[in-house]
Amino acid sequence: MKGIRSAALTAIAALALATGVGACGSSSDDDGGGSSTAASTTGGGGAGASLRGERVRLWIMNNGPDPVGDTERIVRPFEDRTGVDVDVELVGWDVQFDRIRNAAASGEGPDVTQAGTTQVPFFAALGGFDDLSDKVESIGGEAAYAPGIWGTSQVVGQEGTWGIPWFTEARTVYYRRDVLEKAGVDPRTAFQDWDSFRATLQAIKDRVPEIGGQRIEPFGMPGKKAFDLVHNVMPFVWGAGGAELNDDATRSAINTPEAQQGVEFFADLVADGLADRSMLERDGTQVENQFKGGRLGVWIGGVWVLPSAARKDDDNWVDAARRNVAVAPMPKGPSGEAFTFVGGSNLMLFKNSEHKEAAWALIEYLSQDRVQSEYADLMGMFPSRLAAQEARGEQSPQQGAFFEAIQAGRSYAAIPQWGQIENAYKTRFGTILDMAAGQGGDYSPEAVRKQLDDAAAEADNLLAQSAG
Amino acid sequence: MSSTRTSPVSPPAGGPQDPVAPAATPPRARRGRLGRAWRRDRFAWALIAPAVVVMVLIHLIPTAGGVLLSFRDVNTFTFARLFGAPWAGLENYRAILFDADNPIHSGVFNAAGNTLVYTVATVAGTLVGGMALALLLNRDFPGQKVVRTLMLTPWVVPSFVVAVLWQFMWQSDVGIVNKILVDYTGLLDERPVWLLGGNSMWAIVIPSIWRGIPLAMLIFLAALQSVPKELHEAAALDGAGAIRRFRSITLPLLRPLIAVQLLFGTIYAAYQFTIPWVMLGSNPGNDADLMMTLIVRQSFSNNLFGIGAAASSLLTIVMLVWVAAWWLAFRRDMEADR
């Protein structure tokens, strides 16, 4: 019997250890992979000898295939000319929200950081960053950027410019030319408006069960696992004439009839079997790879996917998909307008930086048109500055489609609480899509309404936060 | 959980003398004894001192900080002040427990219900499965050692990897689970969807059991091997069948081990985070959101560290109640031989 008791004690020790080593992890479900580019012709570290020997720490996120190497390559001419040493540090998208927030709150951080465009208002509200308003003239100010993009550097109801747009991403419709051809649909009219968008998917479902032995699903989008679920749904809400918040950003508008119409259009695609429900079990990257892998006829994706088709080292692409990929503008909704979500990243200057002059010189340099174009090309993103965007748009009709999408692009209300409201919406959108897939409750207009009411209630609660 | 409790009133016959003196001892003598005890235990104290310091630094102080935060209104606008955020009194607790208009109230209750289901299912599955496997592997058969070693592999797989692997296995279209259930064996006609809706609870419970079983098996197996064979032989001679022998001999002897695993298994499961977070994302949805995923989401994603800390404190209180109930139920099993 003694044996059992000592075994019990040993077990306690073993279990205590096992309990200790389990889970941990951090996280924020905010905004992951954003992107964006900006800039044009100005300044760029003309400060000269006085900056020599200064060291600027720059935090970047994982942009493109070789984030640190690419960025170091881009800043080398700046270092050579000014003598400033730029220390590029990678902070992953999975932890950047926490790291930047903590750096801003504690005052212990780098000099300059990249931040997702939708995060800028929150970081600005934290108080750890410089207002750049009196500096932006040297890079052309507001006029050098598309309005939707410049808006991401501002905070609603507050004076100030808190971030300089660095690079831009937008989403649009991707399709396979061979799939549309086999379905007998003209690509020029296939995605004009919601009706033709649906009809195109229906035609693919009816006429193109497979191509070359590979099964084809008309459409597929990720569900609650995608960090950017809200970016995928909101263009349809906007297209229906709805909005995320009311005009002065004081109350949620996600449960208005227009917003509901937009959400239902998206979810109906799942409920009606036009969107593959198993894609809802995957995250954004996995679904992207399903499109590259040839399983989806139509998909809505980011600007960086198009250039990847030309990269032989991206072996997620199957030949048929690689050869036939094409893009089209987002479909017009009942409001008569088409919208796309425009996001990306801005550069923010920490208040506690001891090398502000050198740090601003670096931001100026990164805001030159030429530098922006080069960096955006390396990452497969769009530059943020108008002139650089125009140049990119002229490269090909496909890039032109993205250029147009960006000019008509829209982002969210620039308020500090947006990230949390986005989380609340994401939760409910995820549940609605689950229901549309026949899981976790019956899908009906009433059920959608209930979820959107809950989302609005949670958002209103978050909007009511104050500094006490 | 010491097994050597002694009583100054009636020392057990033949037991060691109590090193701490009974109350009647004169003060000077007591000091002398304490001094002796200190001199004797000095080395032991020196050895555990670093661990005590570390525990205070990384465990006790942060815990106290967490409790303090639960009384503060930490939000998007006050985050930067953290411990200097406005005092909220019991407001965070009230919002969670009683404010029906606050979405966090229903969220926490939903997550608490899910956590209860997850914990009961995981612990029961782990213990029953571990016991069954231990009984099977306790028999002599060729290759027994190899099988036993192989059975341990799930335990050495980190939770993160378990979640990633199972996430692929559960995928309704190409996952191996549905391939087996539908394509290969035809057990089901329709492909179940595991990672959405109601089934997502099972999608996290089953991998958790899968990962937990090996340790339970190992512990039970060690105990089974120390059960004297004669007991079983004698009972068999008296006509007891296998089930009767299991109920009357094996189970009572394993009771302390079941108790220990019940305690730690429950605590571990109630604090589960990695598997749902990795497999289902930052918000696992109504059907599989657990207390820890909710707390992490509200704190780190939504900046509501006060609410998160209050929910953590409530969870801790529930676990303390559980430990107390457990102690009342099983203290005799943990004490000296009777």
Side-chain angles (χ1 to χ4, degrees):
Chain A
M1 214 83 77
K2 212 163 191 137
I4 302 250
R5 220 179 63 235
S6 61
L9 293 172
T10 314
I12 289 178
L15 282 165
L17 273 174
T19 312
V21 252
C24 55
S26 93
S27 86
S28 72
D29 28 300
D30 260 57
D31 219 5
S35 57
S36 75
T37 300
S40 130
T41 54
T42 30
S50 64
L51 299 177
R52 191 158 294 279
E54 292 211 31
R55 190 152 174 263
V56 173
R57 285 174 67 204
L58 168 66
W59 276 0
I60 60 162
M61 277 90 246
N62 18 351
N63 316 317
D66 180 15
V68 173
D70 285 349
T71 309
E72 282 175 343
R73 248 193 310 285
I74 284 293
V75 299
R76 195 154 302 136
F78 168 78
E79 292 177 304
D80 291 346
R81 195 169 66 245
T82 60
V84 173
D85 179 19
V86 180
D87 193 357
V88 180
E89 294 170 37
L90 180 66
V91 179
W93 276 111
D94 50 342
V95 295
Q96 56 90 240
F97 182 73
D98 288 341
R99 295 276 306 274
I100 298 172
R101 177 182 58 196
N102 296 346
S106 68
E108 310 260 325
D111 301 288
V112 179
T113 186
Q114 171 186 349
T117 50
T118 60
Q119 300 173 332
V120 170
F122 168 67
F123 290 142
L126 269 182
F129 295 92
D130 264 1
D131 175 5
L132 304 170
S133 302
D134 56 348
K135 296 194 169 84
V136 297
E137 271 316 301
S138 73
I139 56 168
E142 185 172 353
Y145 298 83
I149 291 166
W150 186 253
T152 65
S153 66
Q154 313 286 310
V155 181
V156 168
Q158 196 178 319
E159 289 293 308
T161 300
W162 302 96
I164 301 300
W166 190 21
F167 58 89
T168 294
E169 68 133 312
R171 284 134 209 263
T172 198
V173 177
Y174 278 77
Y175 65 91
R176 292 254 308 262
R177 280 191 291 258
D178 55 340
V179 172
L180 256 60
E181 193 180 327
K182 195 167 173 189
V185 180
D186 181 352
R188 283 168 302 185
T189 54
F191 307 106
Q192 263 182 336
D193 54 30
W194 284 11
D195 290 341
S196 60
F197 186 84
R198 256 193 84 102
T200 299
L201 301 186
Q202 190 66 53
I204 296 171
K205 187 180 164 79
D206 295 341
R207 293 175 215 152
V208 197
E210 53 91 32
I211 275 191
Q214 169 145 29
R215 201 174 131 207
I216 297 285
E217 299 288 346
F219 185 63
M221 293 301 288
K224 65 187 172 205
K225 281 205 74 177
F227 76 85
D228 51 1
L229 176 59
V230 176
H231 304 348
N232 294 331
V233 176
M234 282 310 293
F236 293 95
V237 170
W238 294 328
E244 66 279 9
L245 299 176
N246 66 357
D247 287 342
D248 55 358
T250 51
R251 286 190 74 80
S252 172
I254 203 64
N255 57 347
T256 60
E258 294 81 13
Q260 179 168 356
Q261 191 184 5
V263 173
E264 280 180 1
F265 176 78
F266 193 84
D268 281 349
L269 299 176
V270 176
D272 299 340
L274 295 173
D276 181 10
R277 69 177 185 179
S278 69
M279 294 300 147
L280 298 177
E281 300 167 73
R282 296 177 161 88
D283 65 26
T285 309
Q286 289 167 344
V287 177
E288 176 180 320
N289 288 336
Q290 294 287 318
F291 179 77
K292 291 174 173 177
R295 183 148 155 216
L296 302 173
V298 180
W299 169 69
I300 294 173
V303 59
W304 60 90
V305 177
L306 193 56
S308 77
R311 292 181 64 134
K312 292 285 173 254
D313 58 343
D314 187 342
D315 48 19
N316 290 309
W317 286 97
V318 296
D319 269 350
R322 203 192 280 275
R323 277 198 316 272
N324 288 294
V325 61
V327 297
M330 291 288 284
K332 289 192 176 72
S335 71
E337 284 189 273
F339 292 95
T340 182
F341 167 77
V342 173
S345 286
N346 294 357
L347 292 168
M348 301 182 77
L349 177 58
F350 277 93
K351 198 172 252 169
N352 276 25
S353 164
E354 287 170 7
H355 312 280
K356 282 190 186 166
E357 208 183 325
W360 175 251
L362 173 65
I363 294 176
E364 277 184 320
Y365 169 77
L366 292 172
S367 301
Q368 292 179 15
D369 286 340
R370 184 188 51 78
V371 178
Q372 283 231 324
S373 297
E374 257 178 58
Y375 191 54
D377 283 349
L378 280 175
M379 288 181 299
M381 296 290 182
F382 243 72
S384 287
R385 294 177 69 88
L386 210 44
Q389 285 184 347
E390 277 164 3
R392 170 71 91 85
E394 282 160 13
Q395 283 173 7
S396 72
Q398 313 272 39
Q399 295 290 351
F402 272 112
F403 175 73
E404 276 176 41
I406 289 169
Q407 305 318 304
R410 190 158 160 177
S411 188
Y412 310 117
I415 55 169
Q417 305 97 317
W418 174 255
Q420 304 153 59
I421 293 171
E422 188 180 319
N423 285 338
Y425 289 2
K426 190 183 133 191
T427 302
R428 312 299 170 173
F429 290 171
T431 306
I432 291 168
L433 291 174
D434 280 10
M435 291 191 302
Q439 305 296 321
D442 288 333
Y443 177 69
S444 67
E446 295 73 37
V448 173
R449 177 67 196 228
K450 165 85 175 60
Q451 290 298 324
L452 295 179
D453 282 344
D454 287 352
E458 193 170 346
D460 287 344
N461 238 33
L462 292 164
L463 285 166
Q465 292 175 85
S466 72
Chain B
M1 260 169 265
S2 159
S3 60
T4 53
R5 271 179 22 130
T6 50
S7 155
V9 182
S10 56
Q17 281 299 311
D18 189 340
V20 180
T25 317
R28 183 179 298 172
R30 191 193 304 172
R31 263 206 304 280
R33 284 193 189 181
L34 282 175
R36 266 206 306 284
W38 165 245
R39 277 194 298 280
R40 188 191 61 208
D41 296 339
R42 223 170 9 188
F43 184 58
W45 278 108
L47 285 180
I48 64 166
V52 170
V53 170
V54 169
M55 286 305 282
V56 168
L57 284 180
I58 69 167
H59 204 142
L60 286 183
I61 292 176
T63 303
V67 173
L68 183 60
L69 274 189
S70 74
F71 298 109
R72 301 221 171 246
D73 180 14
V74 185
N75 64 34
T76 296
F77 298 101
T78 60
F79 169 80
R81 285 182 270 158
L82 205 59
F83 288 104
W87 184 256
L90 291 170
E91 176 53 30
N92 291 328
Y93 291 93
R94 192 193 68 81
I96 290 173
L97 293 173
F98 305 113
D99 187 354
D101 292 335
N102 192 327
I104 288 172
H105 166 78
S106 53
V108 168
F109 276 74
N110 175 59
N114 287 340
T115 306
L116 185 66
V117 171
Y118 171 83
T119 304
V120 170
T122 304
V123 174
T126 305
L127 290 191
V128 171
M131 175 80 81
L133 274 177
L135 290 170
L136 278 177
L137 292 181
N138 196 31
R139 295 151 181 269
D140 287 327
F141 60 89
Q144 184 211 30
K145 283 193 176 133
V146 177
V147 173
R148 209 185 288 169
T149 310
L150 283 177
M151 295 303 295
L152 278 177
T153 45
W155 189 51
V156 299
V157 181
S159 293
F160 178 87
V161 179
V162 169
V164 172
L165 288 177
W166 278 84
Q167 176 207 324
F168 287 115
M169 286 162 60
W170 286 128
Q171 253 159 22
S172 62
D173 51 352
V174 294
I176 187 74
V177 174
N178 278 4
K179 276 199 191 299
I180 291 172
L181 290 176
V182 183
D183 300 342
Y184 302 158
T185 63
L187 284 173
L188 299 175
D189 297 328
E190 288 239 338
R191 308 183 87 79
V193 177
W194 295 102
L195 297 169
L196 313 176
N199 284 342
S200 49
M201 175 57 82
W202 303 114
I204 56 173
V205 164
I206 291 170
S208 305
I209 294 175
W210 178 79
R211 184 170 187 272
I213 277 182
L215 182 64
M217 179 205 76
L218 191 70
I219 291 169
F220 284 138
L221 197 55
L224 283 176
Q225 289 175 346
S226 69
V227 174
K229 279 211 172 66
E230 301 80 50
L231 283 178
H232 279 282
E233 285 164 7
L237 277 179
D238 289 340
I243 294 177
R244 181 70 205 272
R245 291 203 305 276
F246 175 73
R247 276 182 43 215
S248 303
I249 300 174
T250 312
L251 215 46
L253 287 175
L254 293 187
R255 203 177 131 95
L257 285 161
I258 295 171
V260 171
Q261 299 200 66
L262 201 56
L263 176 72
F264 284 93
T266 302
I267 294 173
Y268 185 71
Y271 290 138
Q272 178 59 263
F273 169 76
T274 313
I275 289 179
W277 187 271
V278 173
M279 193 182 294
L280 302 169
S282 59
N283 189 342
N286 284 342
D287 297 292
D289 197 19
L290 302 184
M291 280 303 286
M292 286 315 293
T293 48
L294 176 132
I295 288 167
V296 170
R297 190 171 62 248
Q298 294 297 354
S299 302
F300 291 90
S301 303
N302 287 350
N303 304 316
L304 300 174
F305 284 91
I307 290 279
S312 295
S313 302
L314 288 171
L315 181 58
T316 307
I317 291 169
V318 171
M319 295 321 289
L320 288 175
V321 170
W322 155 246
V323 171
W326 176 90
W327 179 242
L328 287 178
F330 293 106
R331 62 186 294 185
R332 298 173 60 148
D333 298 287
M334 295 296 121
E335 288 172 355
D337 293 321
R338 278 159 202 271

